[in-house]
Amino acid sequence: MTKLSRELATKLAGKTNSADRDPTVVFRSVLLSVGIENPVIRGGSDYHGELAQQLHDFLVPILTNVGGVVALAEAFCHYNRARSLSLISPQDMLSAVNRFCDIRGQKIFLKKFESGAAVLMLESFEGEFLGSKVADCLRLSGPLTGIFGICKI
């Protein structure tokens, strides 16, 4: 936030044209520079396909930074925050996520649990890899029990 406010102040101080000095215009340009530069917009022949590609490219670094799994609703919020004023609907998000399988070099997939929870996962987080991580955790810490089993007072 500090960096953003400094950039805003610098841009405001550096503008000489009165139209360019409008704080609303400058603030909007700063916000757009933080998010997605060219968001996919409706009207194209393959809107959901293009949206799927942009969403996939946007989410790979986020999933990598958070450990490989993020709730679908959280991914929706991250993506719309980056798009600024050009928001997508939850239906568009779900349609785009369902088209991830069409992407060459796909690294993310949708996982739905019996409880109804939906998450986006990196492909490296699936199957045996996840099982080996849990096994390593158990080896290091020993048997784990619930908090109520530990706190018998």
Side-chain angles (χ1 to χ4, degrees), residues 92-140:
D92 287 340
M93 172 82 166
L94 192 55
S95 295
V97 166
N98 286 329
R99 298 210 37 200
F100 278 175
C101 59
D102 298 338
I103 296 173
R104 178 176 282 170
Q106 172 194 7
K107 297 180 181 178
I108 301 174
F109 67 96
L110 176 66
K111 170 96 173 154
K112 291 184 180 178
F113 294 96
E114 290 179 18
S115 65
V119 297
L120 294 174
M121 302 174 86
L122 287 174
E123 65 181 356
S124 60
F125 200 78
E126 185 184 22
E128 292 180 19
F129 176 74
L130 179 58
S132 68
K133 283 186 115 177
V134 171
D136 290 343
C137 179
L138 289 173
R139 264 190 235 102
L140 291 173

Side-chain angles (χ1 to χ4, degrees), residues 76-106:
F76 173 76
C77 292
H78 278 291
Y79 186 67
N80 267 338
R81 188 176 305 132
R83 284 179 65 104
S84 185
L85 300 174
S86 181
L87 305 179
I88 63 169
S89 70
Q91 293 82 10
D92 287 340
M93 172 82 166
L94 192 55
S95 295
V97 166
N98 286 329
R99 298 210 37 200
F100 278 175
C101 59
D102 298 338
I103 296 173
R104 178 176 282 170
Q106 172 194 7

Side-chain angles (χ1 to χ4, degrees), residues 11-21:
K11 284 189 178 192
L12 281 173
K15 300 293 181 179
T16 56
N17 186 348
S18 63
D20 291 340
R21 208 169 160 85

Side-chain angles (χ1 to χ4, degrees), residues 1-9 27 30-31 34:
M1 286 305 281
T2 305
K3 181 181 175 186
L4 181 63
S5 64
R6 285 185 189 143
E7 285 180 24
L8 182 59
F27 186 66
V30 170
L31 285 178
V34 172

